[in-house]
Amino acid sequence: MCGLAGIVDLGGPVEDDRIAAMGRALAHRGPDDEGFFGGPGVALVFRRLSIIDLSEAGHQPMSDAEGRYVLLHNGEVYNYRELRRELEGLGHSFRSATDTEVILEAYREWGEACVERFRGMWAFVVWDTRERRLFCSRDRFGIKPFFYRLDGQELVFASELKAFRAAGVQLAANPSAVRDFLALGLLDHREETFFAGIRQLLPAHNLVFDGGGMRISRYWQLERREPPADPAAAVREAFLESVDLHLRSDVPVGTALSGGLDSSAIVGAVAEHGQRGQPTFTVYFEDAKTDERPFAEAVVERAGASPHWVTFSEDDLARDLPAIVETLEEPFAGTSNAAHWYVMRAAHEAGMKVMLDGQGGDEVFAGYPTYFRSRFADLLAAGRVAELAAEAKAYRSVHRGSLAHVASTVASPFFPRGLTSRARARLTGASSLLHDDLGPAPAAPGTNGSVFPDRLRRRLEQMLVAEHLPQMLRYEDRNSMAHSIEARVPFLDHKLVELVFSLDGGELIRRGRTKDVLRRAVADLLPPVVRDRTDKLGFPTPQGRWFRGRIGELSGEVFGSPEFRQRGFVDPAAARSRLAAVRDGRPSQAPELWRALSLELWARAFLAA
């Protein structure tokens, strides 16, 4: 819901102009209000997007009655009403109706352990003026961002990377992040960012900075739990409760509707809670392979929603790419992420300040086709051959897969991930894009440390915390906040996630279908044409066709430029060869090609000449 930044220098004063510049760089995240706090060796700035209690009582930085603690808070703690009642019973009093003040009083009451009671998304800091200690926390899944840079006794932190540039930090590329992206398509998968020396506080972690240095600790992780007696009924109850909590707002709430199962379930749940006429926003193209309007229209009709239809051309994209690159701050994986930017722009133009979105549904409920590999491997490893045969037959029937494809699907999880990732990089040609200066292609991260015995849940956990969801949440946050919108993701309520991770893999993947338990749980909220979908699109765009048009022309200009040749990231000859292949009608070459283009556009926007 906002943007925060600060500088803590335990060895000297902080210049006012640096913190003011950081605030200006975050103005889009909070156009409704701005606040500063300064003291010996500390300067804090906050930009507010007013969502709950729109009055001046919600102004930040917010201090407790004694003035000891100073709080900056970005996000929402959705169970703040319940926590407030509990705190009032313990003798706390409140001056506002905000969730922010609930966080402040919860910290006073329970200290660092307060975060274990929160349901929501957050990145917040508490400055203890008496102890000269900074406490920072990020929500369990990293829905809200938090970046920091430690240089000696100075800690600089912010909601976005561009604020570091505003503070005078010289931005330089992190070669290992560049290599992971080009070769494997990995983004946001570890503490390091694309900028050398700037890190992200990982999800479900706290950070403390004081005279004793910096300490980082984890406060939550997924654990094995007993499953409920009726999984579909339990999932339904938890999902509807999550959507209800995510609807808490003092401003209108809309929904980004793709026509897929996840966002459609949210629209259906909102209607189930009695909110007819909800605004929905759907991107479309005049292309049968990427046009999801028939599915979205069925959802809109059933839910009684108020639809908004959004589209853009390749010329629009070429024109707006500089703004999108500046928004996302680090390279991005494809044009579907740009489509999300246009959806949020349309929502802003329609007066929205809060949007619900379906991010997380695929990672929690096993929505991607790749999860069949892990499920089949689990059945084989357990000796459940008859069940595997039945599931493989259903898979072939639903997805039209050959016997050879099914056999490779079963076998692939048994190979080391490092070996398969390098092989995939070679097969797709991604490794050939690496400039010699970057070194060889890396291996994908493993799943060491997981408490789950089965491959499916280990793979889901990896996608949830490292390989996929983190980058999707970056797109979600930056695209929405660039247009002064708070994006909320009901599928990432931790109570719902913990419930789903207690279930057997057969509840998630069954009879050739992904997300089986979710389909059963929300069957009555969805039109059958959406409930029974087995294709997976998301926010699809005609990316391959665009590379044969204006985007291809732009790529040719970029790949032929002196800056690109001298950058030392991408092999120029390999990039031009791949571009020629795509323009010749081989769209399978497009994803890796986009990485090369996105990387160079990012470098031009953020790296010093």
Side-chain angles (χ1 to χ4, degrees):
M1 76 172 190
C2 302
L4 57 83
I7 303 173
V8 177
D9 190 338
L10 300 178
V14 178
E15 299 90 340
D16 291 342
D17 57 342
R18 293 180 69 197
I19 198 67
M22 295 180 81
R24 290 192 295 272
L26 299 175
H28 54 281
R29 295 186 70 94
D32 297 332
D33 191 17
E34 182 179 34
F36 295 90
F37 172 85
V42 60
L44 310 175
V45 63
F46 188 78
R47 299 292 314 211
R48 185 185 184 199
L49 181 67
S50 302
I51 302 295
I52 294 176
D53 188 348
L54 310 184
S55 73
E56 293 182 0
H59 177 79
Q60 295 186 50
M62 182 180 288
S63 301
D64 66 320
E66 298 177 359
R68 175 178 175 177
Y69 299 112
V70 182
L71 171 69
L72 302 179
H73 163 227
N74 171 30
E76 302 289 353
V77 171
Y78 300 116
N79 63 331
Y80 71 100
R81 295 175 184 171
E82 292 79 5
L83 288 172
R84 175 175 174 143
R85 288 194 291 269
E86 183 178 359
L87 288 163
E88 286 174 333
L90 294 170
H92 293 257
S93 59
F94 292 84
R95 297 162 289 171
S96 74
T98 65
D99 60 324
T100 300
E101 192 175 11
V102 171
I103 294 175
L104 185 61
E105 294 302 309
Y107 184 81
R108 290 183 62 224
E109 179 66 32
W110 297 302
E112 298 177 10
C114 68
V115 298
E116 299 170 16
R117 298 170 177 262
F118 298 158
R119 294 178 68 176
M121 56 182 186
W122 67 82
F124 71 83
V125 302
V126 178
W127 173 248
D128 185 336
T129 60
R130 183 185 304 170
E131 299 295 332
R132 291 182 54 76
R133 176 184 297 121
L134 185 75
F135 173 75
C136 315
S137 182
R138 193 176 181 201
D139 66 71
R140 294 173 180 85
F141 300 107
I143 304 168
K144 289 288 105 179
F146 188 90
F147 299 100
Y148 68 93
R149 178 179 182 269
L150 180 62
D151 184 9
Q153 291 186 294
E154 180 187 80
L155 180 71
V156 182
F157 61 87
S159 296
E160 293 188 9
L161 292 159
K162 57 179 66 71
F164 292 86
R165 179 176 58 186
V169 175
Q170 187 73 29
L171 300 182
N174 176 2
S176 64
V178 171
R179 187 172 60 248
D180 286 356
F181 175 60
L182 278 177
L184 304 175
L186 291 177
L187 293 155
D188 305 281
H189 58 296
R190 53 185 178 179
E191 288 181 284
E192 296 180 26
T193 69
F194 271 80
F195 298 101
I198 301 178
R199 294 175 172 265
Q200 61 170 325
L201 180 62
L202 289 178
H205 281 70
N206 296 332
L207 181 155
V208 174
F209 181 63
D210 57 18
M214 185 175 72
R215 302 174 297 283
I216 295 176
S217 60
R218 184 168 192 160
Y219 64 84
W220 177 88
Q221 62 184 14
L222 285 165
E223 299 175 350
R224 298 176 66 178
R225 298 171 184 270
E226 287 297 315
D230 187 338
V235 166
R236 178 186 179 85
E237 180 181 359
F239 174 63
L240 288 176
E241 181 193 27
S242 177
V243 172
D244 189 36
L245 287 173
H246 283 73
L247 287 171
R248 290 181 170 180
S249 170
D250 292 334
V251 297
V253 179
T255 303
L257 173 63
S258 71
L261 183 64
D262 300 332
S263 60
S264 299
I266 292 173
V267 172
V270 173
E272 180 74 2
H273 286 304
Q275 297 196 22
R276 309 288 288 183
Q278 60 176 298
T280 62
F281 297 82
T282 304
V283 70
Y284 73 92
F285 301 97
E286 299 294 348
D287 185 320
K289 294 181 179 180
T290 57
D291 189 0
E292 292 209 290
R293 277 178 294 181
F295 301 103
E297 287 168 350
V299 174
V300 164
E301 181 179 359
R302 188 180 188 93
S306 175
H308 297 71
W309 307 102
V310 184
T311 193
F312 61 97
S313 68
E314 59 183 302
D315 289 331
D316 295 330
L317 178 59
R319 180 196 66 222
D320 295 328
L321 261 179
I324 297 171
V325 170
E326 181 75 17
T327 290
L328 295 178
E329 299 191 307
E330 296 178 282
F332 55 106
T335 51
S336 63
N337 311 122
H340 190 258
W341 185 88
Y342 285 99
V343 166
M344 290 300 170
R345 185 179 72 173
H348 172 78
E349 292 170 350
M352 294 291 103
K353 293 184 77 172
V354 174
M355 289 283 286
L356 305 184
D357 211 334
Q359 298 290 8
D362 288 314
E363 292 79 9
V364 174
F365 286 94
Y368 296 118
T370 184
Y371 295 128
F372 282 103
R373 301 173 183 172
S374 300
R375 177 58 183 158
F376 290 171
D378 283 334
L379 292 174
L380 181 60
R384 295 157 65 178
V385 179
E387 188 176 350
L388 172 59
E391 286 294 331
K393 182 180 180 180
Y395 176 84
R396 288 192 66 200
S397 174
V398 172
H399 300 279
R400 303 295 185 263
S402 66
L403 283 173
H405 176 69
V406 171
S408 66
T409 298
V410 172
S412 60
F414 292 96
F415 292 102
R417 294 206 67 226
L419 176 63
T420 57
S421 66
R422 289 193 179 96
R424 189 178 301 112
R426 286 195 295 269
L427 288 172
T428 62
S431 58
S432 68
L433 288 172
L434 292 177
H435 196 283
D436 289 342
D437 292 349
L438 287 177
T447 56
N448 294 335
S450 176
V451 300
F452 297 104
D454 54 301
R455 288 174 174 81
L456 179 56
R457 280 186 291 184
R458 290 202 300 268
R459 184 66 182 136
L460 285 169
E461 184 179 22
Q462 184 72 5
M463 293 285 277
L464 191 70
V465 303
E467 278 196 33
H468 193 261
L469 183 65
Q471 64 176 284
M472 303 307 293
L473 292 177
R474 169 162 61 96
Y475 307 147
E476 187 77 45
D477 175 81
R478 302 308 188 283
N479 283 332
S480 59
M481 296 306 296
H483 300 103
S484 303
I485 288 175
E486 176 179 280
R488 299 179 173 182
V489 282
F491 281 106
L492 292 180
D493 174 71
H494 78 280
K495 296 291 187 182
L496 174 61
V497 175
E498 290 172 345
L499 167 64
V500 178
F501 268 76
S502 75
L503 305 181
D504 176 78
E507 294 290 343
L508 303 178
I509 293 179
R510 180 186 298 180
R511 295 187 294 273
R513 301 197 312 177
T514 61
K515 302 180 181 175
D516 191 76
V517 71
L518 178 63
R519 296 175 194 270
R520 288 179 278 132
V522 299
D524 63 315
L525 305 181
L526 298 172
V529 69
V530 173
R531 182 194 64 217
D532 298 328
R533 286 189 72 179
T534 56
D535 56 331
K536 178 64 186 170
L537 294 180
F539 271 137
T541 61
Q543 181 170 278
R545 175 167 61 81
W546 285 348
F547 268 116
R548 296 192 296 275
R550 181 67 187 94
I551 299 303
E553 294 172 3
L554 173 64
S555 300
E557 296 167 5
V558 169
F559 297 158
S561 67
E563 302 99 308
F564 184 76
R565 292 195 300 270
Q566 297 166 10
R567 187 79 61 190
F569 294 163
V570 180
D571 183 283
R576 290 193 295 270
S577 174
R578 184 173 289 266
L579 177 59
V582 173
R583 303 205 76 179
D584 194 39
R586 284 178 275 174
S588 61
Q589 303 280 314
E592 290 76 25
L593 183 64
W594 178 267
R595 294 179 203 166
L597 175 62
S598 174
L599 180 64
E600 177 59 22
L601 295 177
W602 163 79
R604 293 182 180 187
F606 288 95
L607 302 183

